[in-house]
Amino acid sequence: MTNKEAFGLAKKYIPGGVDSPVRAFGSVGGEPFIVERGEGAYLVDIEGNRYLDFIQSWGPLIFGHCDPDIESAVIATAKKGLSFGAPSNLETRLAKLICDEFKNVEKVRFVSSGTEATMSAIRVARGFSGKDGLIKFEGCYHGHSDALLVKAGSGATTYGNASSGGVPADVVKNTYLARYNDIESVRAIFEANPGKIGALIIEPIAGNMGLVPADNEFLSELRRLCDQNGAVLIFDEVMSGFRASRHGSFEFNGIEADLVTFGKVIGGGCPAAAFGGKAAIMDCLSPEGAVYQAGTLSGNPVAMAAGIASLSKIFAD
């Protein structure tokens, strides 16, 4: 079967023929090739064509496809069971690896995707602060949960409008849009909504509008404004965590966020993500607190084993 034939068949059973829109090649032209296997720095399609893979599954495969250490950990764990729906020591081991590296991350909860991580971090931030308002930034992508699929309203410092079909206006009415690296746009939102902003989320190194790092002075002022207004500062490090440096953006800005979201890398190629931060905030989560969050496959043993193998190699030096 050719790539074209296989993609045509996929479109018959899968919307657009893909399970994530970027895979459809809409922004780069042509049709996608269909992957047969990965080998280190390369992908091989079903026609036997070989490609140098600069994407590496959008980030998590720091050591390339089929890294022998990660592969061995996955195989050994899979032989013991794919999913338990109960705690395992693998979760604790991976959580400890993360907490030991990030001094502002005292506790971690695992989920299965970056979207879950940011969605859950915002929920616990609102639960902790007791306020519904959320500030996010134009150009930053934090997953596809309803409250984050927004575009600018009448001005960048007003509440956002839904940017996707199926997202009710009421869901995004508490999401306010600011401009990246523009502290005045953030200050204006706080001033216009006194006592309403409970959380602020930002990619400290933005990866969805090109590679744009936030100015250190800008991040420092965000930290000050959040402290001054009783808002929880969330750094979305799903893309930059363990990749920009072993400590994500912290190596460059030295700013301690209240909550941090991680993804991709901590699963070593398996579906895994996490959010973590100060114990006082994280303890608001059920079963200790009133903020509910759950997932049958959260802390999946195979993904945890892959993450331990991957992060252990990153931290080996």
Side-chain angles (χ1 to χ4, degrees):
M1 184 179 290
T2 65
N3 287 313
K4 186 175 185 63
E5 290 169 341
F7 185 53
L9 183 63
K11 286 193 289 186
K12 183 177 179 180
Y13 299 104
I14 302 171
V18 293
D19 285 308
S20 187
V22 295
R23 301 178 192 174
F25 283 30
S27 297
V28 296
E31 290 187 338
F33 58 87
I34 309 301
V35 177
E36 175 69 25
R37 65 185 185 277
E39 299 173 350
Y42 297 90
L43 287 174
V44 181
D45 70 18
I46 59 173
E47 295 179 7
N49 300 307
R50 191 174 174 87
Y51 307 85
L52 183 58
D53 182 11
F54 289 97
I55 296 176
Q56 293 293 318
S57 191
W58 302 94
L61 304 181
I62 288 180
F63 304 102
H65 297 279
C66 298
D67 174 79
D69 296 317
I70 298 173
E71 187 177 79
S72 295
V74 166
I75 292 171
T77 304
K79 289 181 177 180
K80 299 177 182 178
L82 297 178
S83 179
F84 304 134
S88 78
N89 281 331
L90 293 169
E91 298 163 72
T92 306
R93 286 174 58 192
L94 185 54
K96 185 178 186 303
L97 277 173
I98 295 170
C99 291
D100 285 350
E101 284 291 323
F102 287 79
K103 63 180 181 179
N104 61 318
V105 177
E106 297 173 325
K107 291 188 177 182
V108 166
R109 177 161 286 184
F110 293 109
V111 290
S112 297
S113 70
T115 290
E116 282 185 83
T118 55
M119 175 183 71
S120 302
I122 290 167
R123 182 181 300 163
V124 73
R126 283 169 160 161
F128 176 78
S129 67
K131 294 177 282 188
D132 295 337
L134 167 70
I135 296 176
K136 76 174 293 286
F137 293 85
E138 292 179 328
C140 287
Y141 177 71
H142 306 290
H144 62 267
S145 59
D146 284 359
L148 295 171
L149 289 178
V150 297
K151 60 183 178 182
S154 59
T157 56
T158 67
Y159 63 86
N161 296 321
S163 63
S164 170
V167 178
D170 280 353
V171 173
V172 297
K173 69 180 182 182
N174 291 310
T175 301
Y176 300 83
L177 282 174
R179 291 182 292 269
Y180 202 78
N181 278 332
D182 181 352
I183 198 61
E184 291 306 319
S185 71
V186 182
R187 189 175 288 115
I189 294 172
F190 276 114
E191 290 176 354
N193 300 276
K196 293 182 180 179
I197 307 300
L200 182 151
I201 188 168
I202 187 171
E203 287 181 284
I205 302 175
N208 287 281
M209 55 179 175
L211 184 63
V212 182
D215 295 333
N216 286 0
E217 185 178 341
F218 171 71
L219 291 176
S220 295
E221 188 63 12
L222 289 184
R223 176 70 281 175
R224 192 190 70 79
L225 284 171
C226 285
D227 290 341
Q228 180 181 321
N229 291 277
V232 175
L233 177 60
I234 306 169
F235 276 4
D236 180 351
E237 303 247 25
V238 166
M239 293 185 70
S240 56
F242 308 108
R243 295 172 62 201
S245 78
R246 66 188 286 169
H247 300 122
S249 71
F250 184 80
E251 204 94 353
F252 309 103
N253 57 48
I255 306 297
E256 293 186 13
D258 299 309
L259 293 175
V260 184
T261 63
F262 302 105
K264 304 178 187 298
V265 175
I266 67 165
C270 291
F275 62 103
K278 296 178 179 178
I281 301 175
M282 295 298 290
D283 285 344
C284 291
L285 286 165
S286 179
E288 294 189 359
V291 178
Y292 191 75
Q293 182 277 328
T296 300
L297 295 178
S298 298
N300 173 266
V302 176
M304 297 296 97
I308 291 167
S310 181
L311 292 193
S312 294
K313 286 164 74 75
I314 293 173
F315 301 154
D317 61 348

